[in-house]
Amino acid sequence: MGIFRARNIFIALSALGAIWLGWLVANEYALSYASQHYLANGVVRIELPGGRKLDIAERYMYWEGYVKHGRWPKPKEGRVKVESFNFDALLPDLRPYRAEDDEKWQELGYGDKLHV
């Protein structure tokens, strides 16, 4: 009887481990897919204290988006009132984040990066 109980516990723990591992893989895939979607289509809508309204592509929010969260987060719905905002671009032509420029964004120091 003791052998059957140990085997059942082992099977149950193995099944729980497989479910947990499957959930981790599916969750990582979903977050990666969502991150790429927000990078391509995300727009941050803000309103400054003077009433000026700006729509900024999420690609220009490298520090606030990718560095802080480790992925590109979903922009908030609607317009958000803010006191200030960060803007990141590459010099000399103020390019936003693109995968082909990833090396420049990952470099230590400022290099070609502009943080405003």
Side-chain angles (χ1 to χ4, degrees):
M1 281 295 209
I3 294 173
F4 295 114
R5 288 184 187 165
R7 187 180 73 174
N8 289 342
I9 291 172
F10 177 74
I11 291 171
L13 289 177
S14 297
L16 286 175
I19 291 170
W20 177 72
L21 184 61
W23 181 81
L24 283 179
V25 169
N27 191 34
E28 182 62 31
Y29 175 75
L31 285 176
S32 175
Y33 177 78
S35 178
Q36 292 305 313
H37 173 73
Y38 299 140
L39 173 62
N41 304 316
V43 176
V44 178
R45 293 172 178 84
I46 62 174
E47 182 176 346
L48 296 173
R52 179 163 295 232
K53 297 176 182 178
L54 300 172
D55 293 342
I56 304 168
E58 190 160 351
R59 290 179 179 275
Y60 284 106
M61 301 287 185
Y62 182 76
W63 177 258
E64 288 295 322
Y66 188 77
V67 174
K68 257 189 184 179
H69 301 283
R71 59 183 170 80
W72 294 98
K74 179 180 181 182
K76 293 184 178 178
E77 297 291 325
R79 196 162 297 279
V80 179
K81 291 186 178 187
V82 296
E83 295 294 320
S84 64
F85 66 94
N86 292 337
F87 175 86
D88 303 309
L90 287 179
L91 296 172
D93 56 353
L94 299 178
R95 286 187 313 265
Y97 175 85
R98 290 189 208 135
E100 56 267 14
D101 296 328
D102 193 55
E103 288 180 9
K104 290 183 179 180
W105 288 101
Q106 299 295 330
E107 283 179 3
L108 294 177
Y110 289 103
D112 293 342
K113 295 176 280 200
L114 174 69
H115 301 286
V116 180

